[in-house]
Amino acid sequence: MQLVPFTTRQFHPASGDPVAESAAGSPVAEWPGDLLDVAALRGGGWRPRPFRQFILKIHSRCNLACDYCYVYSAADTGWRRQPPRMSRATAAQAVRRIAEHTSAHGLTEAEVVLHGGEPLLAGAEFVTWLADELRRQVDPGVRLRVTTQTNGVSLRAGLLDQLADLDIAVCVSLDGPADAHDRRRRFADGRGSYAQVRRGLELLTSARYRRIFSGLLAVVDVAADPLALYAELLSWAPPAIDVILPHGNWSTPPPGRHPNDGTPYADWLIPLFDRWYSAPRQETNVRLFSEIIQLVLGGASRSEAVGLSPVGLVVVETDGSVEQVDTLKSAYDRAAATGLDVFAHSFDDVLGEPSIVARQIGTEALAADCRACPVGRICGGGYYPHRYRAGSGFKNPSVYCPDLFRLVRHIETRVVADLTGLRRAPQC
């Protein structure tokens, strides 16, 4: 596939959406931007789905310098313009907007994720106050889950006591055993972080705090051993594991992923799937695999990584600006921006943004190749940020298309074979 010649990026004065310029200097509209007709969709009966997951960026700086970070090491430089910590005034307004949205749509459950940067750098006092505000303002009829995604370095007994008292679930990033983890997740001075993360996990998984341990998150590194990574993660007995593909796209490919150059990520993931799936009992939930199985069986996905379920999350930055999913920062500068904020806009206002609508309309957002693909309904075109190509936007297959096709086919083959075997088994 040929990349469209691209030199500069401008922003539409009304919508704030990106407008590329070709090498000849003529503007090139990138999808969705002005190419998605939201009014026509509404006229045809389409209606947005309310947000159910609210990601609050309570601290915009980090105490690690991971080399694959989509916030500090990718195309977007917005973190430099953000205050390091969300103020109480901004947080209180975000909470009011969450309460307003859940009430207006009659939601019975919602999740608030405390995120960063490294969210725990905001301090235990701020986190305690924020959790109390959420539970005070959100209608008691809403089952509210509050979680945090942390690198684990800051986990200490006193902090964990407060998180446990507030019933805040904790997910920790861990990229495998020490050698694999320390190759990517390091401090700014080059020191690895595995030893500190291990100390934090030993506390978190102790009897005193295990009830708030929600799982582990690992980023795929094709240079690492997938079975060694799984063994390390499984040793902590996590209730769930998220295995994440590195964030890249057609214009900035992820490591080792080049057009028409094999399936390195499927080659890595398939042995991991086989190890997980072949266990005599389910040892943990690997969400990527369980989501694909759910889709193979005709169900709906609960994750944007695969499938066609409408996006249900929104991000609030430390200054109160409202953004799309923050992994879009891997595409280009301001890719996640909406131009809206919690002071002047409701979350219903955000639902009308073309960039949000594009992630709620299912097959209509897919490239023609994806709509025609035999696994398109399961793959769902892949994760939205991974579809970007400068000059055309997001209506492309995932940069991981060959890997996803092979992985889905492999899982589908194994699941169908097992179901066929069950049907043919003699009945007692």
Side-chain angles (χ1 to χ4, degrees):
M1 298 183 182
Q2 297 294 317
L3 295 182
V4 177
F6 176 81
T7 55
T8 62
R9 177 172 300 280
Q10 298 178 343
F11 292 88
H12 190 280
S15 67
D17 292 315
V19 178
E21 286 187 0
S22 68
S26 57
V28 178
E30 295 188 353
W31 195 89
D34 292 329
L35 301 178
L36 179 61
D37 192 338
V38 178
L41 285 170
R42 286 184 175 273
W46 174 85
R47 292 295 180 268
R49 301 281 187 91
F51 296 117
R52 297 175 184 273
Q53 186 181 60
F54 305 88
I55 299 175
L56 302 185
K57 295 281 189 171
I58 61 173
H59 202 282
S60 68
R61 304 298 191 266
C62 192
N63 46 7
L64 292 185
C66 306
D67 63 4
Y68 54 64
C69 182
Y70 59 83
V71 175
Y72 308 108
S73 301
D76 191 283
T77 59
W79 67 272
R80 298 180 186 277
R81 301 185 290 271
Q82 292 292 338
R85 195 179 86 169
M86 182 179 282
S87 71
R88 288 200 177 194
T90 300
Q93 181 62 18
V95 170
R96 282 191 284 272
R97 291 300 190 190
I98 292 169
E100 171 187 78
H101 194 74
T102 54
S103 176
H105 293 279
L107 300 185
T108 57
E109 59 181 39
E111 181 180 26
V112 174
V113 182
L114 309 182
H115 210 277
E118 169 49 46
L120 298 184
L121 291 178
E125 183 181 354
F126 180 86
V127 171
T128 299
W129 169 83
L130 179 54
D132 286 341
E133 280 294 292
L134 282 163
R135 296 206 166 96
R136 184 177 66 83
Q137 293 202 39
V138 175
D139 190 289
V142 179
R143 188 164 66 87
L144 183 66
R145 174 176 166 84
V146 183
T147 68
T148 187
Q149 176 67 50
T150 175
N151 59 35
V153 170
S154 301
L155 293 176
R156 302 288 186 273
L159 173 61
L160 285 170
D161 284 332
Q162 291 176 293
L163 296 177
D165 287 345
L166 295 164
D167 199 27
I168 297 176
V170 180
C171 181
V172 178
S173 295
L174 180 68
D175 281 356
D179 58 340
H181 180 94
D182 284 346
R183 184 164 56 247
R184 314 302 300 275
R185 302 187 63 81
R186 294 181 290 209
F187 292 95
D189 62 7
R191 291 178 298 123
S193 63
Y194 178 83
Q196 291 89 333
V197 176
R198 183 176 184 87
R199 282 196 293 271
L201 275 170
E202 286 171 347
L203 271 174
L204 179 60
T205 58
S206 66
R208 185 174 180 178
Y209 306 115
R210 176 165 280 277
R211 68 179 179 84
I212 62 169
F213 178 38
S214 66
L216 296 171
L217 183 150
V219 177
V220 173
D221 179 358
V222 292
D225 180 347
L227 299 185
L229 175 138
Y230 186 63
E232 170 69 30
L233 270 55
L234 199 59
S235 71
W236 300 101
I241 292 173
D242 281 309
V243 179
I244 306 296
L245 293 168
H247 297 304
N249 53 67
W250 291 104
S251 297
T252 310
R257 175 68 270 167
H258 305 290
N260 305 315
D261 187 20
T263 55
Y265 286 87
D267 296 344
W268 194 95
L269 287 164
I270 285 172
L272 178 55
F273 170 80
D274 287 340
R275 164 65 183 83
W276 171 77
Y277 186 74
S278 301
R281 59 177 179 82
Q282 188 179 76
E283 298 160 314
T284 187
N285 176 23
V286 180
R287 289 194 178 105
L288 175 62
F289 301 151
S290 61
E291 289 291 311
I292 293 175
I293 290 174
Q294 174 82 357
L295 289 159
V296 166
L297 296 175
S301 62
R302 295 156 295 184
S303 164
E304 266 200 280
V306 289
L308 295 168
S309 294
V311 63
L313 69 84
V314 66
V315 178
V316 180
E317 278 286 359
T318 54
D319 66 352
S321 57
V322 179
E323 296 193 341
Q324 305 175 70
V325 63
D326 55 352
T327 49
L328 279 167
K329 296 175 186 290
S330 61
Y332 56 84
D333 198 28
R334 294 175 57 182
T338 65
L340 309 182
D341 64 73
V342 295
F343 297 101
H345 306 93
S346 70
F347 287 127
D348 274 11
D349 292 332
V350 184
L351 285 173
E353 289 295 297
S355 53
I356 296 292
V357 174
R359 290 160 52 225
Q360 289 206 348
I361 56 177
T363 56
E364 293 186 59
L366 297 184
D369 287 349
C370 296
R371 293 198 297 272
C373 178
V375 303
R377 183 190 67 82
I378 299 171
C379 164
Y383 191 41
Y384 187 80
H386 300 166
R387 304 178 201 174
Y388 179 72
R389 182 194 296 271
S392 63
F394 292 92
K395 207 165 191 177
N396 302 292
S398 168
V399 71
Y400 290 105
C401 180
D403 299 282
L404 291 170
F405 185 91
R406 182 162 177 249
L407 175 65
V408 169
R409 279 301 204 202
H410 179 83
I411 293 175
E412 187 177 46
T413 298
R414 289 213 57 181
V415 170
V416 169
D418 283 351
L419 292 175
T420 302
L422 286 172
R423 285 199 298 267
R424 291 176 179 172
Q427 300 298 311
C428 297

